[in-house]
């Protein structure tokens, strides 16, 4: 099955309520993106449109193609076909460093800090080709106050959550217009994830638009203004968190045909009685 | 006292070896390129010096900055074209490309300059004047000057790598090329700058070598490259001071070997090299290989 089926993301965003005034055009426009890793087709025609001020969440299971999509938008993968437009300009062929300098900055999966550099040097590298804007190293120290005292330390000695914060800081000092966050929660305890996501309001209020990838669906729904669910390189569901039901998300996540209205399969329960998609979540914690 | 003299002479020679080696270490540390043409680049620099002095009649010492700039530009261009193309095709390709470069350089030099050796005359008064400590330790001012120059170059390089924006970017790219790209850095440009520095340092070493002794088209591979490799391995990769230590250890070992028997000069150097490989394969400075 290679044709894209069950997609709902191709239509213009009717009923979409962008956070910014309606008059502004899309910041990021991805059209029919097909990406191969060698022989393997990782993305089969994904489209998405991100408006200024949004928090756009890409959710999906392992191997759904979320990270590939984000990396392609950042310029690290060349798509087989399809296009990526930024601020109305086609950037499909632009090198990753040019995109970063233009304002598409990614926090890569696994942090990817520079291990032989100190914390502050990591931030300085991030600021090397920065656009003009509100963020600088001092402001990152205000956002994460613990950093100032430990700025001379090598990041390899830091905890996963601290490293993730440094990676976010390194991206912020470049003054992105759109910040791509790849699996911030990966390998981190839930309480640490909460603490890291606490920086999001300040990032958004500085005018940065966020496109994020999350495996932790409840976390994604908590912060997102718009979401798209991927499965095996295809789009399964798109909408605002208010529009989609929990059953729809579960179906899209695990692969039932949502469009046909077929009953979604039981989600496998975890040993502690919570379930795979909503670990420990309560309905109120998912309210956006 | 003869032994002390041998050690002092070896130490001074070690500075020059470190100067040969630091560019080799930098290229490997940053872009994982084992530059088999590194020694020949030193020879090329020496011959460019010979050519510039013959044509423009500038004083010998003035030729150093000119040659360094020329070689740095050559390094950047060569990196952005030939070596980058090889890197894209894999690490083994860089080995073959630099090996080919080495052969081309040696044969090119033989074609244009013949196989005869040449020197860069500094002016007799400076090169022959010396001072002595005690009765047997005789230090030539010129050798001492080259040792000091080597230390100053390494110190400057160290400062550049730790304090400057491009030094930081070079270390970042060496750590994680892709993450550096995500911060807006074009790693190919950063590689080019690293290559320019490596070519510049080996140019200084090549001219100094031409002033101390003589250069001929084949010494690049026959001695310089081997001494540079030995210095890097003895000192440990990724540390500039390790490279200086490696050069000095190699120089002292050679001098002591020569003191025992003039035929053992090179043998003694390589014995120490093998000894370090067996006992401390990460090199004398414990930082280990660059990431």
């Amino acid at each position: 099955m290679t044709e894209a089926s069950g997609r709902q993301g191709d239509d213009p965003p009717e009923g979409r309520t962008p956070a910014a005034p309606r008059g502004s055009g899309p910041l990021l426009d991805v059209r029919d993106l097909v990406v191969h890793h060698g022989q393997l087709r990782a993305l089969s025609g994904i489209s998405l449109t991100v408006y200024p001020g949004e928090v756009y969440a890409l959710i999906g299971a392992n191997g759904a193609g979320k990270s590939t999509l984000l990396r392609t938008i950042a310029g690290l993968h060349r798509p087989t076909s399809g296009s990526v437009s930024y601020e109305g300009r086609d950037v499909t062929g632009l090198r990753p460093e040019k995109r970063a300098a233009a304002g598409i900055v990614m926090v890569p999966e696994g942090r990817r800090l520079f291990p032989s550099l100190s914390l502050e040097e990591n931030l300085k590298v991030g600021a090397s080709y920065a656009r003009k804007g509100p963020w600088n190293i001092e402001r990152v120290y205000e956002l994460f106050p613990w950093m100032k005292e430990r700025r001379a330390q090598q990041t390899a000695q830091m905890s996963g959550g601290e490293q993730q914060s440094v990676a976010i800081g390194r991206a912020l000092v470049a003054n992105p217009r759109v910040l791509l966050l790849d699996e911030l929660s990966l390998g981190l305890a839930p309480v640490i994830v909460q603490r890291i996501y606490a920086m999001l309001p300040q990032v958004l209020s500085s005018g940065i638009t966020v496109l994020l990838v999350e495996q932790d669906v409840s976390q994604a729904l908590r912060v997102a203004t718009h979401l798209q669910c991927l499965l095996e390189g295809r789009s399964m569901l798109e909408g605002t968190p208010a529009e989609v039901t929990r059953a729809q998300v579960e179906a899209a996540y695990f692969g039932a045909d949502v469009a046909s209205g077929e009953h979604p399969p039981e989600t496998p329960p975890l040993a502690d009685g919570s379930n795979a998609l909503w670990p420990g979540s309560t309905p109120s914690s998912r309210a956006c | 006292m003869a032994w002390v003299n041998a050690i002092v002479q070896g130490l001074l020679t070690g500075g020059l070896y470190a100067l040969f080696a630091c560019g080799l270490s930098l290229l490997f540390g940053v872009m994982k390129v084992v530059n088999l043409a590194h020694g020949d680049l030193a020879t090329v620099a020496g011959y460019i010096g010979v050519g510039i002095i013959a044509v423009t009649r500038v004083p010998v010492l003035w030729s150093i900055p000119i040659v360094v700039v020329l070689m740095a530009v050559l390094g950047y261009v060569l990196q952005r074209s030939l070596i980058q193309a090889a890197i894209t095709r894999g690490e083994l390709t860089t080995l073959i490309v630099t090996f080919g470069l080495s052969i081309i350089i040696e044969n090119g030099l033989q074609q244009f300059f013949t196989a005869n050796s040449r020197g860069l005359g500094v002016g007799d008064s400076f090169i022959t004047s010396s001072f002595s400590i005690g009765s047997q330790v005789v230090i030539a001012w010129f050798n001492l000057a080259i040792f000091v120059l080597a230390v100053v170059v390494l110190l400057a390089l160290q400062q550049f790598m730790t304090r400057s924006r491009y030094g930081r970017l070079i270390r970042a790219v060496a750590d994680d090329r892709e993450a550096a790209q995500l911060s807006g850095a074009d790693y190919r440009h950063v590689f080019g700058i690293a290559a320019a520095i490596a070519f510049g340092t080996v140019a200084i070493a090549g001219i100094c070598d031409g002033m101390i002794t003589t250069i001929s088209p084949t010494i690049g591979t026959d001695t310089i490259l081997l001494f540079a490799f030995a210095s890097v391995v003895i000192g440990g990769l990724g540390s500039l001071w390790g490279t200086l230590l490696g050069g000095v250890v190699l120089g002292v070992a050679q001098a002591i070997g020569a003191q025992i028997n003039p035929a053992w000069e090179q043998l003694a150097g390589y014995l120490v090299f093998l000894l370090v490989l067996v006992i401390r394969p990460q090199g004398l400075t414990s930082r280990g290989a660059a990431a």
Side-chain angles (χ1 to χ4, degrees):
Chain A
M1 181 172 111
T2 53
E3 85 282 9
S5 63
R7 289 218 330 258
Q8 307 180 352
D10 275 347
D11 305 326
E14 286 161 28
R16 180 96 168 258
T17 48
R22 269 213 143 253
S24 57
L27 189 57
L28 208 53
D29 196 20
V30 174
R31 286 290 115 205
D32 302 316
L33 214 56
V34 177
V35 178
H36 287 83
H37 292 314
Q39 296 283 332
L40 189 83
R41 178 182 271 226
L43 292 179
S44 309
I46 298 291
S47 297
L48 66 85
T49 311
V50 182
Y51 288 89
E54 277 190 324
V55 179
Y56 196 115
L58 292 163
I59 58 175
N62 246 338
K66 312 176 300 283
S67 286
T68 303
L69 177 52
L70 219 56
R71 288 170 58 84
T72 309
I73 293 171
L76 296 174
H77 293 310
R78 278 290 152 85
T80 315
S81 64
S83 69
V84 178
S85 299
Y86 169 66
E87 295 178 325
R89 186 167 64 108
D90 185 10
V91 295
T92 316
L94 209 60
R95 295 184 60 84
E97 57 268 20
K98 293 267 191 286
R99 294 191 205 195
I104 306 176
V105 181
M106 178 159 89
V107 178
E109 185 176 338
R111 277 82 83 169
R112 303 283 290 272
L113 297 175
F114 305 115
S116 65
L117 272 59
S118 70
L119 189 164
E120 183 153 282
E121 285 178 326
N122 268 278
L123 297 181
K124 280 181 175 172
V125 169
S128 296
Y129 296 89
R131 298 165 73 244
K132 281 193 171 46
W135 289 95
N136 53 37
I137 292 175
E138 275 311 308
R139 179 124 186 235
V140 168
Y141 288 160
E142 283 166 27
L143 184 63
F144 302 108
W146 61 270
M147 282 185 185
K148 198 159 189 172
E149 271 186 13
R150 301 173 60 185
R151 59 183 153 187
Q153 261 182 34
Q154 309 280 113
T155 54
Q157 309 159 0
M158 294 175 183
S159 73
E162 287 164 349
Q163 290 187 14
Q164 189 61 273
S165 304
V166 177
I168 292 167
R170 184 179 65 185
L172 286 177
V173 291
N175 279 304
R177 267 205 85 185
V178 54
L179 183 64
L180 312 180
L181 302 173
D182 197 351
E183 299 267 18
L184 287 191
S185 64
L186 198 74
L188 299 179
V191 58
I192 305 293
V193 175
Q194 297 283 330
R195 213 174 290 162
I196 285 176
Y197 270 99
M199 57 84 199
L200 208 54
Q202 284 198 60
V203 171
L204 293 168
S205 69
S206 71
I208 295 174
T209 303
V210 172
L211 172 59
L212 62 90
V213 156
E214 259 307 338
Q215 258 184 297
D216 183 342
V217 176
S218 49
Q219 184 59 55
L221 289 182
R222 212 170 291 147
V223 297
T225 58
H226 200 91
L227 68 94
Q228 183 164 172
C229 187
L230 303 189
L231 181 77
E232 290 170 1
R234 292 186 182 76
S235 174
M236 300 301 286
L237 181 70
E238 198 194 342
T240 66
E243 284 167 11
V244 300
T245 67
R246 181 166 156 160
Q248 277 178 314
V249 172
E250 280 175 7
Y253 198 97
F254 290 110
D257 192 347
V258 181
S260 73
E262 185 187 303
H263 190 71
E266 283 298 313
T267 54
L270 294 180
D272 63 356
S274 71
N275 100 14
L277 272 189
W278 325 99
S281 72
T282 60
S284 66
S285 75
R286 290 193 290 113
C288 296
Chain B
M1 259 333 239
W3 294 98
V4 178
N5 187 49
I7 290 170
V8 169
Q9 302 307 328
L11 192 134
L12 295 181
T13 315
L16 184 60
Y17 291 169
L19 216 44
F20 279 128
C22 66
L24 191 72
S25 176
L26 184 69
L27 285 185
F28 183 77
V30 175
M31 44 198 120
K32 301 282 173 287
V33 169
V34 177
N35 182 15
L36 293 179
H38 198 70
D40 297 303
L41 294 172
T43 324
V44 165
Y47 276 104
I48 293 177
V50 169
I52 285 177
I53 292 162
V55 173
T56 64
R57 309 237 159 254
V58 292
V60 176
L61 289 179
W62 278 91
S63 71
I64 294 182
I66 301 173
V67 175
V68 167
V69 169
L70 282 177
M71 287 294 288
V73 171
L74 177 70
Y76 187 88
V77 171
L78 213 55
Q79 171 61 39
R80 289 303 300 265
S81 52
L82 194 64
I83 304 176
Q84 183 61 52
I87 290 173
T88 315
R89 287 166 177 77
E91 281 177 25
L92 272 180
T93 315
T94 63
L95 216 54
I96 295 166
V97 164
T98 56
F99 185 61
L101 206 57
S102 162
I103 293 172
I104 292 169
I105 290 172
E106 285 191 13
N107 287 285
L109 288 176
Q110 282 186 339
Q111 191 71 35
F112 290 111
F113 292 95
T114 75
N116 297 334
S117 58
R118 286 174 197 247
L120 285 106
V122 188
D124 287 336
S125 60
F126 186 53
I127 198 154
T128 54
S129 66
S130 58
F131 63 99
S132 43
I133 304 166
S135 58
Q136 295 209 26
V137 180
V138 180
I139 296 172
W141 280 110
F142 189 62
N143 289 14
L144 184 64
I146 286 179
F147 182 80
V148 170
L149 178 68
V151 173
V152 167
V153 167
L154 290 174
L155 202 67
L157 195 52
Q158 174 84 22
Q159 290 297 306
F160 173 82
M161 292 296 279
T162 50
R163 303 220 184 281
S164 78
R165 164 194 157 105
Y166 268 110
R168 203 158 46 228
L169 284 172
I170 287 173
R171 286 184 294 142
V173 166
D175 274 355
D176 191 330
R177 221 179 278 184
E178 202 175 83
Q181 282 185 297
L182 293 175
S183 293
D186 184 347
Y187 72 86
R188 300 168 306 173
H189 176 58
V190 176
F191 278 2
I193 287 167
I197 293 168
F199 277 49
T201 56
V202 86
I204 298 174
I207 294 175
C208 289
D209 197 41
M211 292 191 288
I212 289 185
T213 63
T214 54
I215 49 174
S216 65
T218 53
I219 58 159
T221 307
D222 291 351
T223 58
I224 296 174
L225 181 68
L226 296 180
F227 291 170
F229 266 124
S231 302
V232 170
V233 171
I234 292 172
L237 264 174
S239 153
L240 285 172
W241 299 122
T243 305
L244 181 62
L245 182 66
V248 165
V249 167
L250 182 70
V252 169
Q254 288 181 347
I256 290 176
Q259 184 68 27
I260 299 168
N261 181 334
W264 290 1
E265 177 175 347
Q266 300 226 357
L267 181 67
Y270 293 128
L271 280 178
V272 169
F273 166 70
L274 287 177
L275 207 66
V276 170
L277 264 187
V278 170
I279 297 170
R280 243 185 114 75
Q282 75 272 37
L284 294 177
T285 54
S286 56
R287 289 219 202 136

